[in-house]
Structures are given as C-alpha cells and as structure tokens.
Amino acid sequence: MWVERYEKIWIVLSLVVLAVFLAAIGTSVFAAGIQLPGVEGRVDPRTVAQTPPFNRPGVYELAPKRYEVVLLAQAWGFTPNEIRVPAGSVVTFRITSKDVTHGFMIPGTHVNVMLLPGQVSKVTVRLDKPGQYRFLCHEYCGIGHQVMSGVLIVE
Ligand code: CUA
C-alpha cells in the first residue's frame, strides 16, 4: 500500500506521542505509586463519631513500619491533628467528614483526597523522608477553612 511521505511522518509521530503518554501513565502508577483515592465505604455522618473505627480516631500500628491512621475531619480541624510515624513507614489513611465537604492534602506527597460526609476515603502513602509535613484541608469549607490543618511528623 502506498502511503504519502507526510502521512507516514504523522503516523509515526502519533505513535510516538501515544507511547510517551502510556509510559507516563505506567511510570506514575507503577514507579511513583500514584493512585486514585479509593472509596472505602459509607457511614452515617450523624453517628460517625460513635461508629467504629471513627469512634477512636488515631494512629494504629498494624505491623512494623505499617500504620493505619483513622482520621475524622470536621469544621475546622482534624482528629487527630498530630500524627507521628517512623521514616520508611507505609501509612494508610481512612478518613471521613462529620459535617461538610473537606479535603485532605499532604504537600510533598501524592496524598490529595476529597472528604465527603457519608463517604469513607482511603489512601496509602510511603513516607521515606523524615521531616514535618503540614497536612491541610483544600476544599473551601467555611469561615475557618484556612486554619484547618495538622502536622504529620516523620521521625
Ligand atoms: Cu475543611 Cu476547608
């Protein structure tokens, strides 16, 4: 089959662009561990403070260097608002909101989740670099939105 020269060039270029995009997606998923925050379940926001595991928010060690953080967001703060884990830990956050839509973001990591009342969000991150990470609410949630934050200490 005869294909015009310019058409051949465009076909090759399109395949190259496609390959670059697929490589970028592959790298972000498999090498950088970027993921979509999963919807873990549903919970009644009116009784969430009495519903396990959200009746006991906190940091739980599941195994050496493996943690689960049960986090409750409300206007305008997080419970707990100070989290400590050793460097090299894999931390899974299980989070929901008690009242309105909030956000949960840890700058410097891939953690960026929307917190909807009634929905439990789950996100996992590996924290290798020691330091203090300020986590914050990044969905406008009212007059105290800008003070809604906490600190994650990787020691
Ligand atoms: Cu909570 Cu903004």
Side-chain angles (χ1 to χ4, degrees), residues 43-55 72 96-98:
V43 68
D44 186 342
R46 287 164 300 186
T47 56
V48 67
Q50 288 83 48
T51 311
F54 296 100
N55 56 346
L72 199 51
T96 191
S97 165
K98 232 163 133 174

Side-chain angles (χ1 to χ4, degrees), residues 40 54 69-73 78 93-97 104 111 113-116 119-123:
E40 184 58 7
F54 296 100
V69 178
V70 177
L71 200 61
L72 199 51
F78 293 97
F93 292 91
R94 216 174 275 272
I95 330 166
T96 191
S97 165
F104 179 66
V111 175
V113 198
M114 203 176 190
L115 308 175
L116 303 170
Q119 178 178 302
V120 181
S121 299
K122 184 179 155 189
V123 64

